[in-house]
Amino acid sequence: MTQTRTVICMKWGTLYSTAYVNVLYRAVRAQLTGPFRFVCLTEDAAGLDPAIDAFPIPEMGLAESHWKKGGWAKLSVFKKELYDITGRCLFIDLDSVITGPLDDLFDYGGDIAVIDVGENWIKSRHNARPMAGTGVFTFTAGAHPELFDRFVADRDAMVAKYRIEQIYLQGEVADGTLAFWPLEWVLSFKYHLRRPVGLGAVLRPAPPPATTRIVAFHGEPRPIDLVRAGWWGIFPHVGRGRVKWMMDYWARYGGDVQND
């Protein structure tokens, strides 16, 4: 089965509901032109939109602790044969909000293209050493099986050396393999849209700018928290109340703003 473009997400455990997968799929469908395939790697496919292809997360010999610290399971997408998936792939974390066109993310240079989650991203700099983030990344299916094989062959040593999967990725790829997207394409809710300490209780988070393609919600709060009433975040970085642009997004793509 030949596929030229595939969007992949991954769901394990109970932290993220099926609604996250379905909302992400429908948002991607609205922002990606032409044909594509949407795949969810998960152990529980119940309730997924019928247009989503579901497969189990490939076995990597992970211990229970590895599912809770970092996203080591993401490295399984680099297997030589990832089911019947071929061609260019875009991986997106479930706690991501799609706000702009995605076609350019598939075509950007480099074997693997990632977010720069270092000081350039956090502090709006442009000259610090970039740091790879795996919340959103592109790759070609089957092109770098060594990233999977090397980890599985020496799992404990790799975890001890790198701590989380995105540091592993940057440390183990060959020079020139990684490309970093323009900083404005993927923004952090925490660093770029959330209000400063003390203002979150009275000011709603800023909406994403028109140049943004994806807003990354890494850690807390999560997108669903901004849809519900009450306080969200972790002290002292807290906010209060529903956020209209997030509620509009969630409802537009089929989420339930009352019960999800």
Side-chain angles (χ1 to χ4, degrees), residues 131-153:
M131 295 179 59
T134 57
V136 184
F137 62 95
T138 51
F139 64 100
T140 299
H144 291 282
E146 73 279 2
L147 294 173
F148 174 82
D149 295 339
R150 203 176 295 156
F151 176 83
V152 172

Side-chain angles (χ1 to χ4, degrees), residues 44-124:
D44 182 7
L48 292 183
D49 188 295
I52 298 172
D53 291 336
F55 299 100
I57 299 171
E59 176 59 43
M60 295 180 64
L62 296 176
E64 183 178 352
S65 61
H66 300 144
W67 294 94
K68 298 177 180 179
K69 180 64 176 178
W72 292 105
K74 296 180 191 179
L75 297 178
S76 66
V77 303
F78 293 109
K79 282 190 69 175
K80 180 63 177 177
E81 294 183 358
L82 183 64
Y83 300 106
D84 61 349
I85 299 171
T86 62
R88 198 68 174 157
C89 301
L90 171 64
F91 183 97
I92 308 177
D93 270 354
L94 288 181
D95 55 351
S96 302
V97 172
I98 310 302
T99 63
L102 300 175
D103 296 81
D104 290 345
L105 277 71
F106 280 93
D107 302 329
Y108 201 73
D111 287 358
I112 302 170
V114 297
I115 320 168
D116 176 1
V117 297
E119 289 195 355
N120 295 320
W121 200 52
I122 296 171
K123 299 181 179 180
S124 300

